[in-house]
Amino acid sequence: MKSITLTQYLIEQQREKGAVSAELRLLIEVVARACKRISHAVSKGALGGVLGGAGTDNIQGEAQKKLDVIANEVLVEANEWGGHLAALASEEMEHPHQIPSRYPRGEFLLLMDPLDGSSNIDVNVSIGTIFSVLRCPDGVVDPDEKAFLQPGTNQVAAGFAVYGPCTILVLTVGAGVAAFTLDRELGSFVMTQSEIKLSPDTQEFAINASNMRNWEAPVRRYIDECLAGKTGVRGKDFNMRWVASMVADVFRILSRGGIFMYPCDAKHKAGRLRLMYEANPMAFIIEQAGGAATDGRRRIMEIQPEQLHQRVGVVLGSKAEVDRVTQYHLEAPARA
Ligand code: F6P
């Protein structure tokens, strides 16, 4: 089989489908290059001195790991000088990062979760990087937080890297979803899955069951029905998986179907995951692969963000299952 690198794929998307401009191609290649550096740091583990806490907290009050800080620095450094960005925002930075005046500015806004799945860093379980690309609104010269507050439907590209047994980059530019595996000898991302399509049904669900006592009735109903298996209304057995790294759970779902939920509950009233750099990019990818993504009631990509670091409930994956969970929410009395 002829191997297609990420660069070739992007050039083809640019030439044949018009889905990518030269500037967007540069942006994606720069992010991919930064992911290679992060992958290298991750693979060194304790030998590279990258494990453990950084001794600082991020804006959400969560203790930062050394790799959270390293990944953020790698992505900022890689992206600020190329001339493709108007500004960038990150889970690890309270406010958007302005492009230094010595560098040219471009038309795009980059949002990122530099190191997703932080609790898995020190235990050698898959972790990753998530990113989302928006256009800087017309006429905005110094983009502040307001410039970023656009619904997910405005995304022009989204992707994530999984640093697992191999490093995989999943990408959409709005014309389907493709996955690329890092060939370490060549130093290139090589396409290993094209036109990823999610099966509409599934027998596998992913949810942190330790939150069960806090779940709302529609979530409880859906999971209870899955757990009842062959003997219940679903008439089939279900399996459960929870990696606790969204990148790994979503990659599994893209590969063999499934549903992922981190819903709003009595403890996480506004949800646990971040709308702009976790839920939106994953929703874009999942929808491009034929799946669906809601907050239980609304399509995630149609939510108008009010804050850069806002949280949201997340239900995403195989369409028939997500539709079912959403239906259960819509049938239930509205949340107080
Ligand atoms: O912060 C994001 C994240 O690490 C996701 O990658 C993952 O799905 C979730 O949090 C894990 O949450 P919990 O610690 O409740 O299992």
PDB file of all heavy atoms in Angstrom, residues 151-190:
ATOM      1  N   PRO A 151     -19.176  29.416  18.829  1.00  0.00           N
ATOM      2  CA  PRO A 151     -19.665  28.031  18.948  1.00  0.00           C
ATOM      3  C   PRO A 151     -18.803  27.062  18.138  1.00  0.00           C
ATOM      4  O   PRO A 151     -18.126  27.462  17.180  1.00  0.00           O
ATOM      5  CB  PRO A 151     -21.086  28.110  18.375  1.00  0.00           C
ATOM      6  CG  PRO A 151     -21.113  29.347  17.550  1.00  0.00           C
ATOM      7  CD  PRO A 151     -20.102  30.290  18.125  1.00  0.00           C
ATOM      8  N   GLY A 152     -18.856  25.799  18.523  1.00  0.00           N
ATOM      9  CA  GLY A 152     -18.038  24.768  17.867  1.00  0.00           C
ATOM     10  C   GLY A 152     -18.321  24.619  16.385  1.00  0.00           C
ATOM     11  O   GLY A 152     -17.467  24.133  15.627  1.00  0.00           O
ATOM     12  N   THR A 153     -19.501  25.043  15.945  1.00  0.00           N
ATOM     13  CA  THR A 153     -19.820  24.953  14.509  1.00  0.00           C
ATOM     14  C   THR A 153     -18.892  25.845  13.687  1.00  0.00           C
ATOM     15  O   THR A 153     -18.795  25.669  12.482  1.00  0.00           O
ATOM     16  CB  THR A 153     -21.285  25.378  14.244  1.00  0.00           C
ATOM     17  OG1 THR A 153     -21.536  26.590  14.954  1.00  0.00           O
ATOM     18  CG2 THR A 153     -22.275  24.318  14.706  1.00  0.00           C
ATOM     19  N   ASN A 154     -18.214  26.811  14.333  1.00  0.00           N
ATOM     20  CA  ASN A 154     -17.281  27.687  13.608  1.00  0.00           C
ATOM     21  C   ASN A 154     -15.897  27.061  13.426  1.00  0.00           C
ATOM     22  O   ASN A 154     -15.036  27.661  12.781  1.00  0.00           O
ATOM     23  CB  ASN A 154     -17.081  29.005  14.385  1.00  0.00           C
ATOM     24  CG  ASN A 154     -18.252  29.946  14.221  1.00  0.00           C
ATOM     25  OD1 ASN A 154     -19.265  29.593  13.642  1.00  0.00           O
ATOM     26  ND2 ASN A 154     -18.129  31.160  14.744  1.00  0.00           N
ATOM     27  N   GLN A 155     -15.649  25.900  14.035  1.00  0.00           N
ATOM     28  CA  GLN A 155     -14.303  25.312  13.946  1.00  0.00           C
ATOM     29  C   GLN A 155     -13.938  25.007  12.483  1.00  0.00           C
ATOM     30  O   GLN A 155     -14.769  24.492  11.733  1.00  0.00           O
ATOM     31  CB  GLN A 155     -14.236  23.996  14.729  1.00  0.00           C
ATOM     32  CG  GLN A 155     -14.321  24.187  16.245  1.00  0.00           C
ATOM     33  CD  GLN A 155     -14.444  22.852  16.974  1.00  0.00           C
ATOM     34  OE1 GLN A 155     -13.495  22.371  17.550  1.00  0.00           O
ATOM     35  NE2 GLN A 155     -15.617  22.258  16.935  1.00  0.00           N
ATOM     36  N   VAL A 156     -12.703  25.320  12.113  1.00  0.00           N
ATOM     37  CA  VAL A 156     -12.251  24.990  10.753  1.00  0.00           C
ATOM     38  C   VAL A 156     -11.394  23.717  10.756  1.00  0.00           C
ATOM     39  O   VAL A 156     -11.200  23.094   9.716  1.00  0.00           O
ATOM     40  CB  VAL A 156     -11.479  26.156  10.088  1.00  0.00           C
ATOM     41  CG1 VAL A 156     -12.407  27.321   9.823  1.00  0.00           C
ATOM     42  CG2 VAL A 156     -10.297  26.612  10.935  1.00  0.00           C
ATOM     43  N   ALA A 157     -10.910  23.355  11.919  1.00  0.00           N
ATOM     44  CA  ALA A 157     -10.143  22.102  12.042  1.00  0.00           C
ATOM     45  C   ALA A 157     -10.123  21.703  13.512  1.00  0.00           C
ATOM     46  O   ALA A 157     -10.296  22.545  14.394  1.00  0.00           O
ATOM     47  CB  ALA A 157      -8.708  22.285  11.551  1.00  0.00           C
ATOM     48  N   ALA A 158      -9.950  20.428  13.755  1.00  0.00           N
ATOM     49  CA  ALA A 158      -9.810  19.937  15.133  1.00  0.00           C
ATOM     50  C   ALA A 158      -9.049  18.622  15.079  1.00  0.00           C
ATOM     51  O   ALA A 158      -9.092  17.911  14.055  1.00  0.00           O
ATOM     52  CB  ALA A 158     -11.181  19.722  15.777  1.00  0.00           C
ATOM     53  N   GLY A 159      -8.371  18.321  16.148  1.00  0.00           N
ATOM     54  CA  GLY A 159      -7.630  17.060  16.158  1.00  0.00           C
ATOM     55  C   GLY A 159      -7.160  16.705  17.548  1.00  0.00           C
ATOM     56  O   GLY A 159      -7.321  17.474  18.495  1.00  0.00           O
ATOM     57  N   PHE A 160      -6.616  15.499  17.641  1.00  0.00           N
ATOM     58  CA  PHE A 160      -5.984  15.113  18.902  1.00  0.00           C
ATOM     59  C   PHE A 160      -4.897  14.092  18.631  1.00  0.00           C
ATOM     60  O   PHE A 160      -4.935  13.374  17.628  1.00  0.00           O
ATOM     61  CB  PHE A 160      -7.006  14.602  19.921  1.00  0.00           C
ATOM     62  CG  PHE A 160      -7.705  13.312  19.569  1.00  0.00           C
ATOM     63  CD1 PHE A 160      -7.181  12.086  19.949  1.00  0.00           C
ATOM     64  CD2 PHE A 160      -8.904  13.325  18.875  1.00  0.00           C
ATOM     65  CE1 PHE A 160      -7.837  10.897  19.648  1.00  0.00           C
ATOM     66  CE2 PHE A 160      -9.571  12.151  18.566  1.00  0.00           C
ATOM     67  CZ  PHE A 160      -9.037  10.923  18.950  1.00  0.00           C
ATOM     68  N   ALA A 161      -3.896  14.109  19.516  1.00  0.00           N
ATOM     69  CA  ALA A 161      -2.844  13.092  19.463  1.00  0.00           C
ATOM     70  C   ALA A 161      -3.025  12.185  20.661  1.00  0.00           C
ATOM     71  O   ALA A 161      -3.412  12.652  21.740  1.00  0.00           O
ATOM     72  CB  ALA A 161      -1.475  13.747  19.516  1.00  0.00           C
ATOM     73  N   VAL A 162      -2.802  10.885  20.477  1.00  0.00           N
ATOM     74  CA  VAL A 162      -2.781   9.942  21.597  1.00  0.00           C
ATOM     75  C   VAL A 162      -1.351   9.430  21.724  1.00  0.00           C
ATOM     76  O   VAL A 162      -0.790   8.909  20.754  1.00  0.00           O
ATOM     77  CB  VAL A 162      -3.674   8.697  21.354  1.00  0.00           C
ATOM     78  CG1 VAL A 162      -3.862   7.923  22.655  1.00  0.00           C
ATOM     79  CG2 VAL A 162      -5.003   9.055  20.760  1.00  0.00           C
ATOM     80  N   TYR A 163      -0.766   9.620  22.916  1.00  0.00           N
ATOM     81  CA  TYR A 163       0.567   9.079  23.182  1.00  0.00           C
ATOM     82  C   TYR A 163       0.363   7.747  23.899  1.00  0.00           C
ATOM     83  O   TYR A 163       0.197   7.703  25.121  1.00  0.00           O
ATOM     84  CB  TYR A 163       1.389  10.068  24.034  1.00  0.00           C
ATOM     85  CG  TYR A 163       1.328  11.482  23.488  1.00  0.00           C
ATOM     86  CD1 TYR A 163       0.783  12.527  24.229  1.00  0.00           C
ATOM     87  CD2 TYR A 163       1.790  11.765  22.204  1.00  0.00           C
ATOM     88  CE1 TYR A 163       0.708  13.811  23.725  1.00  0.00           C
ATOM     89  CE2 TYR A 163       1.720  13.046  21.684  1.00  0.00           C
ATOM     90  CZ  TYR A 163       1.176  14.068  22.452  1.00  0.00           C
ATOM     91  OH  TYR A 163       1.086  15.339  21.931  1.00  0.00           O
ATOM     92  N   GLY A 164       0.254   6.684  23.112  1.00  0.00           N
ATOM     93  CA  GLY A 164      -0.007   5.356  23.657  1.00  0.00           C
ATOM     94  C   GLY A 164       1.105   4.428  23.218  1.00  0.00           C
ATOM     95  O   GLY A 164       2.225   4.875  22.969  1.00  0.00           O
ATOM     96  N   PRO A 165       0.818   3.123  23.084  1.00  0.00           N
ATOM     97  CA  PRO A 165       1.850   2.199  22.576  1.00  0.00           C
ATOM     98  C   PRO A 165       2.463   2.729  21.283  1.00  0.00           C
ATOM     99  O   PRO A 165       3.647   2.580  21.038  1.00  0.00           O
ATOM    100  CB  PRO A 165       1.063   0.905  22.361  1.00  0.00           C
ATOM    101  CG  PRO A 165      -0.046   0.978  23.366  1.00  0.00           C
ATOM    102  CD  PRO A 165      -0.427   2.427  23.440  1.00  0.00           C
ATOM    103  N   CYS A 166       1.627   3.369  20.426  1.00  0.00           N
ATOM    104  CA  CYS A 166       2.193   4.194  19.353  1.00  0.00           C
ATOM    105  C   CYS A 166       1.536   5.565  19.450  1.00  0.00           C
ATOM    106  O   CYS A 166       0.541   5.732  20.156  1.00  0.00           O
ATOM    107  CB  CYS A 166       2.010   3.560  17.972  1.00  0.00           C
ATOM    108  SG  CYS A 166       0.335   3.121  17.570  1.00  0.00           S
ATOM    109  N   THR A 167       2.121   6.538  18.759  1.00  0.00           N
ATOM    110  CA  THR A 167       1.544   7.885  18.784  1.00  0.00           C
ATOM    111  C   THR A 167       0.679   8.066  17.550  1.00  0.00           C
ATOM    112  O   THR A 167       1.131   7.833  16.420  1.00  0.00           O
ATOM    113  CB  THR A 167       2.665   8.939  18.846  1.00  0.00           C
ATOM    114  OG1 THR A 167       3.227   8.893  20.155  1.00  0.00           O
ATOM    115  CG2 THR A 167       2.141  10.343  18.597  1.00  0.00           C
ATOM    116  N   ILE A 168      -0.575   8.454  17.776  1.00  0.00           N
ATOM    117  CA  ILE A 168      -1.538   8.592  16.675  1.00  0.00           C
ATOM    118  C   ILE A 168      -2.113   9.993  16.684  1.00  0.00           C
ATOM    119  O   ILE A 168      -2.433  10.536  17.753  1.00  0.00           O
ATOM    120  CB  ILE A 168      -2.661   7.534  16.808  1.00  0.00           C
ATOM    121  CG1 ILE A 168      -2.058   6.152  16.564  1.00  0.00           C
ATOM    122  CG2 ILE A 168      -3.802   7.802  15.834  1.00  0.00           C
ATOM    123  CD1 ILE A 168      -3.022   5.016  16.619  1.00  0.00           C
ATOM    124  N   LEU A 169      -2.222  10.579  15.487  1.00  0.00           N
ATOM    125  CA  LEU A 169      -2.843  11.891  15.346  1.00  0.00           C
ATOM    126  C   LEU A 169      -4.141  11.712  14.574  1.00  0.00           C
ATOM    127  O   LEU A 169      -4.152  11.140  13.485  1.00  0.00           O
ATOM    128  CB  LEU A 169      -1.905  12.817  14.566  1.00  0.00           C
ATOM    129  CG  LEU A 169      -2.395  14.247  14.377  1.00  0.00           C
ATOM    130  CD1 LEU A 169      -2.215  15.055  15.658  1.00  0.00           C
ATOM    131  CD2 LEU A 169      -1.632  14.932  13.248  1.00  0.00           C
ATOM    132  N   VAL A 170      -5.249  12.198  15.157  1.00  0.00           N
ATOM    133  CA  VAL A 170      -6.561  12.131  14.496  1.00  0.00           C
ATOM    134  C   VAL A 170      -6.919  13.556  14.096  1.00  0.00           C
ATOM    135  O   VAL A 170      -6.744  14.489  14.881  1.00  0.00           O
ATOM    136  CB  VAL A 170      -7.623  11.562  15.467  1.00  0.00           C
ATOM    137  CG1 VAL A 170      -9.008  11.595  14.832  1.00  0.00           C
ATOM    138  CG2 VAL A 170      -7.258  10.153  15.891  1.00  0.00           C
ATOM    139  N   LEU A 171      -7.409  13.710  12.861  1.00  0.00           N
ATOM    140  CA  LEU A 171      -7.607  15.062  12.342  1.00  0.00           C
ATOM    141  C   LEU A 171      -8.884  15.176  11.529  1.00  0.00           C
ATOM    142  O   LEU A 171      -9.235  14.273  10.762  1.00  0.00           O
ATOM    143  CB  LEU A 171      -6.410  15.400  11.429  1.00  0.00           C
ATOM    144  CG  LEU A 171      -6.449  16.745  10.713  1.00  0.00           C
ATOM    145  CD1 LEU A 171      -6.257  17.892  11.707  1.00  0.00           C
ATOM    146  CD2 LEU A 171      -5.383  16.805   9.628  1.00  0.00           C
ATOM    147  N   THR A 172      -9.584  16.325  11.686  1.00  0.00           N
ATOM    148  CA  THR A 172     -10.615  16.683  10.713  1.00  0.00           C
ATOM    149  C   THR A 172     -10.412  18.130  10.287  1.00  0.00           C
ATOM    150  O   THR A 172     -10.070  18.993  11.108  1.00  0.00           O
ATOM    151  CB  THR A 172     -12.048  16.498  11.253  1.00  0.00           C
ATOM    152  OG1 THR A 172     -12.958  16.772  10.175  1.00  0.00           O
ATOM    153  CG2 THR A 172     -12.378  17.416  12.416  1.00  0.00           C
ATOM    154  N   VAL A 173     -10.604  18.371   8.992  1.00  0.00           N
ATOM    155  CA  VAL A 173     -10.641  19.754   8.492  1.00  0.00           C
ATOM    156  C   VAL A 173     -12.036  20.010   7.920  1.00  0.00           C
ATOM    157  O   VAL A 173     -12.226  20.867   7.070  1.00  0.00           O
ATOM    158  CB  VAL A 173      -9.530  20.017   7.443  1.00  0.00           C
ATOM    159  CG1 VAL A 173      -8.173  20.017   8.104  1.00  0.00           C
ATOM    160  CG2 VAL A 173      -9.571  19.007   6.302  1.00  0.00           C
ATOM    161  N   GLY A 174     -12.991  19.205   8.400  1.00  0.00           N
ATOM    162  CA  GLY A 174     -14.376  19.370   7.963  1.00  0.00           C
ATOM    163  C   GLY A 174     -14.714  18.551   6.730  1.00  0.00           C
ATOM    164  O   GLY A 174     -15.769  18.734   6.124  1.00  0.00           O
ATOM    165  N   ALA A 175     -13.827  17.648   6.350  1.00  0.00           N
ATOM    166  CA  ALA A 175     -14.077  16.788   5.187  1.00  0.00           C
ATOM    167  C   ALA A 175     -13.783  15.348   5.573  1.00  0.00           C
ATOM    168  O   ALA A 175     -12.991  14.658   4.938  1.00  0.00           O
ATOM    169  CB  ALA A 175     -13.212  17.235   4.005  1.00  0.00           C
ATOM    170  N   GLY A 176     -14.401  14.879   6.674  1.00  0.00           N
ATOM    171  CA  GLY A 176     -14.152  13.519   7.162  1.00  0.00           C
ATOM    172  C   GLY A 176     -13.028  13.496   8.184  1.00  0.00           C
ATOM    173  O   GLY A 176     -12.461  14.539   8.543  1.00  0.00           O
ATOM    174  N   VAL A 177     -12.730  12.289   8.651  1.00  0.00           N
ATOM    175  CA  VAL A 177     -11.727  12.119   9.712  1.00  0.00           C
ATOM    176  C   VAL A 177     -10.661  11.124   9.248  1.00  0.00           C
ATOM    177  O   VAL A 177     -10.991  10.073   8.701  1.00  0.00           O
ATOM    178  CB  VAL A 177     -12.387  11.587  11.007  1.00  0.00           C
ATOM    179  CG1 VAL A 177     -11.363  11.447  12.130  1.00  0.00           C
ATOM    180  CG2 VAL A 177     -13.530  12.482  11.441  1.00  0.00           C
ATOM    181  N   ALA A 178      -9.407  11.453   9.483  1.00  0.00           N
ATOM    182  CA  ALA A 178      -8.312  10.531   9.152  1.00  0.00           C
ATOM    183  C   ALA A 178      -7.398  10.398  10.368  1.00  0.00           C
ATOM    184  O   ALA A 178      -7.339  11.301  11.212  1.00  0.00           O
ATOM    185  CB  ALA A 178      -7.523  11.062   7.957  1.00  0.00           C
ATOM    186  N   ALA A 179      -6.716   9.262  10.455  1.00  0.00           N
ATOM    187  CA  ALA A 179      -5.771   9.047  11.559  1.00  0.00           C
ATOM    188  C   ALA A 179      -4.394   8.715  10.980  1.00  0.00           C
ATOM    189  O   ALA A 179      -4.279   8.027   9.956  1.00  0.00           O
ATOM    190  CB  ALA A 179      -6.258   7.917  12.459  1.00  0.00           C
ATOM    191  N   PHE A 180      -3.365   9.220  11.648  1.00  0.00           N
ATOM    192  CA  PHE A 180      -1.981   9.089  11.190  1.00  0.00           C
ATOM    193  C   PHE A 180      -1.144   8.526  12.331  1.00  0.00           C
ATOM    194  O   PHE A 180      -1.262   9.001  13.470  1.00  0.00           O
ATOM    195  CB  PHE A 180      -1.425  10.456  10.791  1.00  0.00           C
ATOM    196  CG  PHE A 180      -2.247  11.160   9.750  1.00  0.00           C
ATOM    197  CD1 PHE A 180      -3.388  11.877  10.116  1.00  0.00           C
ATOM    198  CD2 PHE A 180      -1.917  11.075   8.409  1.00  0.00           C
ATOM    199  CE1 PHE A 180      -4.170  12.512   9.154  1.00  0.00           C
ATOM    200  CE2 PHE A 180      -2.689  11.704   7.444  1.00  0.00           C
ATOM    201  CZ  PHE A 180      -3.818  12.423   7.816  1.00  0.00           C
ATOM    202  N   THR A 181      -0.321   7.544  12.029  1.00  0.00           N
ATOM    203  CA  THR A 181       0.550   6.962  13.058  1.00  0.00           C
ATOM    204  C   THR A 181       1.951   7.516  12.886  1.00  0.00           C
ATOM    205  O   THR A 181       2.440   7.636  11.745  1.00  0.00           O
ATOM    206  CB  THR A 181       0.560   5.419  12.929  1.00  0.00           C
ATOM    207  OG1 THR A 181      -0.791   4.965  13.054  1.00  0.00           O
ATOM    208  CG2 THR A 181       1.405   4.766  14.012  1.00  0.00           C
ATOM    209  N   LEU A 182       2.587   7.867  13.991  1.00  0.00           N
ATOM    210  CA  LEU A 182       3.942   8.427  13.923  1.00  0.00           C
ATOM    211  C   LEU A 182       4.945   7.322  13.618  1.00  0.00           C
ATOM    212  O   LEU A 182       5.088   6.369  14.389  1.00  0.00           O
ATOM    213  CB  LEU A 182       4.291   9.123  15.252  1.00  0.00           C
ATOM    214  CG  LEU A 182       5.684   9.745  15.332  1.00  0.00           C
ATOM    215  CD1 LEU A 182       5.885  10.827  14.266  1.00  0.00           C
ATOM    216  CD2 LEU A 182       5.920  10.341  16.721  1.00  0.00           C
ATOM    217  N   ASP A 183       5.613   7.456  12.469  1.00  0.00           N
ATOM    218  CA  ASP A 183       6.711   6.557  12.123  1.00  0.00           C
ATOM    219  C   ASP A 183       7.971   7.190  12.690  1.00  0.00           C
ATOM    220  O   ASP A 183       8.459   8.207  12.177  1.00  0.00           O
ATOM    221  CB  ASP A 183       6.790   6.413  10.593  1.00  0.00           C
ATOM    222  CG  ASP A 183       7.884   5.437  10.175  1.00  0.00           C
ATOM    223  OD1 ASP A 183       8.947   5.416  10.837  1.00  0.00           O
ATOM    224  OD2 ASP A 183       7.675   4.706   9.202  1.00  0.00           O
ATOM    225  N   ARG A 184       8.487   6.599  13.766  1.00  0.00           N
ATOM    226  CA  ARG A 184       9.596   7.256  14.466  1.00  0.00           C
ATOM    227  C   ARG A 184      10.884   7.274  13.650  1.00  0.00           C
ATOM    228  O   ARG A 184      11.694   8.179  13.785  1.00  0.00           O
ATOM    229  CB  ARG A 184       9.839   6.593  15.825  1.00  0.00           C
ATOM    230  CG  ARG A 184       8.709   6.908  16.799  1.00  0.00           C
ATOM    231  CD  ARG A 184       9.002   6.430  18.203  1.00  0.00           C
ATOM    232  NE  ARG A 184       7.794   6.491  18.996  1.00  0.00           N
ATOM    233  CZ  ARG A 184       7.361   7.586  19.628  1.00  0.00           C
ATOM    234  NH1 ARG A 184       8.055   8.693  19.574  1.00  0.00           N
ATOM    235  NH2 ARG A 184       6.240   7.568  20.318  1.00  0.00           N
ATOM    236  N   GLU A 185      11.079   6.247  12.793  1.00  0.00           N
ATOM    237  CA  GLU A 185      12.302   6.256  11.964  1.00  0.00           C
ATOM    238  C   GLU A 185      12.244   7.371  10.922  1.00  0.00           C
ATOM    239  O   GLU A 185      13.206   8.078  10.688  1.00  0.00           O
ATOM    240  CB  GLU A 185      12.506   4.923  11.243  1.00  0.00           C
ATOM    241  CG  GLU A 185      13.154   3.846  12.107  1.00  0.00           C
ATOM    242  CD  GLU A 185      12.109   3.057  12.875  1.00  0.00           C
ATOM    243  OE1 GLU A 185      11.227   2.485  12.234  1.00  0.00           O
ATOM    244  OE2 GLU A 185      12.168   3.038  14.124  1.00  0.00           O
ATOM    245  N   LEU A 186      11.084   7.512  10.279  1.00  0.00           N
ATOM    246  CA  LEU A 186      10.938   8.562   9.256  1.00  0.00           C
ATOM    247  C   LEU A 186      10.701   9.935   9.879  1.00  0.00           C
ATOM    248  O   LEU A 186      10.921  10.958   9.246  1.00  0.00           O
ATOM    249  CB  LEU A 186       9.740   8.248   8.344  1.00  0.00           C
ATOM    250  CG  LEU A 186       9.815   7.012   7.458  1.00  0.00           C
ATOM    251  CD1 LEU A 186       8.536   6.880   6.635  1.00  0.00           C
ATOM    252  CD2 LEU A 186      11.024   7.121   6.532  1.00  0.00           C
ATOM    253  N   GLY A 187      10.205   9.942  11.111  1.00  0.00           N
ATOM    254  CA  GLY A 187       9.865  11.218  11.755  1.00  0.00           C
ATOM    255  C   GLY A 187       8.596  11.819  11.170  1.00  0.00           C
ATOM    256  O   GLY A 187       8.354  13.016  11.287  1.00  0.00           O
ATOM    257  N   SER A 188       7.768  10.991  10.504  1.00  0.00           N
ATOM    258  CA  SER A 188       6.564  11.515   9.842  1.00  0.00           C
ATOM    259  C   SER A 188       5.313  10.842  10.386  1.00  0.00           C
ATOM    260  O   SER A 188       5.337   9.673  10.775  1.00  0.00           O
ATOM    261  CB  SER A 188       6.581  11.198   8.342  1.00  0.00           C
ATOM    262  OG  SER A 188       7.739  11.641   7.756  1.00  0.00           O
ATOM    263  N   PHE A 189       4.208  11.581  10.344  1.00  0.00           N
ATOM    264  CA  PHE A 189       2.905  10.977  10.594  1.00  0.00           C
ATOM    265  C   PHE A 189       2.429  10.367   9.281  1.00  0.00           C
ATOM    266  O   PHE A 189       2.339  11.065   8.261  1.00  0.00           O
ATOM    267  CB  PHE A 189       1.895  12.026  11.071  1.00  0.00           C
ATOM    268  CG  PHE A 189       1.994  12.323  12.540  1.00  0.00           C
ATOM    269  CD1 PHE A 189       2.527  13.525  12.991  1.00  0.00           C
ATOM    270  CD2 PHE A 189       1.546  11.402  13.472  1.00  0.00           C
ATOM    271  CE1 PHE A 189       2.609  13.797  14.349  1.00  0.00           C
ATOM    272  CE2 PHE A 189       1.630  11.662  14.841  1.00  0.00           C
ATOM    273  CZ  PHE A 189       2.163  12.864  15.276  1.00  0.00           C
ATOM    274  N   VAL A 190       2.123   9.074   9.281  1.00  0.00           N
ATOM    275  CA  VAL A 190       1.711   8.365   8.073  1.00  0.00           C
ATOM    276  C   VAL A 190       0.255   7.914   8.242  1.00  0.00           C
ATOM    277  O   VAL A 190      -0.107   7.349   9.289  1.00  0.00           O
ATOM    278  CB  VAL A 190       2.621   7.135   7.831  1.00  0.00           C
ATOM    279  CG1 VAL A 190       2.173   6.351   6.597  1.00  0.00           C
ATOM    280  CG2 VAL A 190       4.074   7.587   7.676  1.00  0.00           C
TER     281      VAL A 190
END
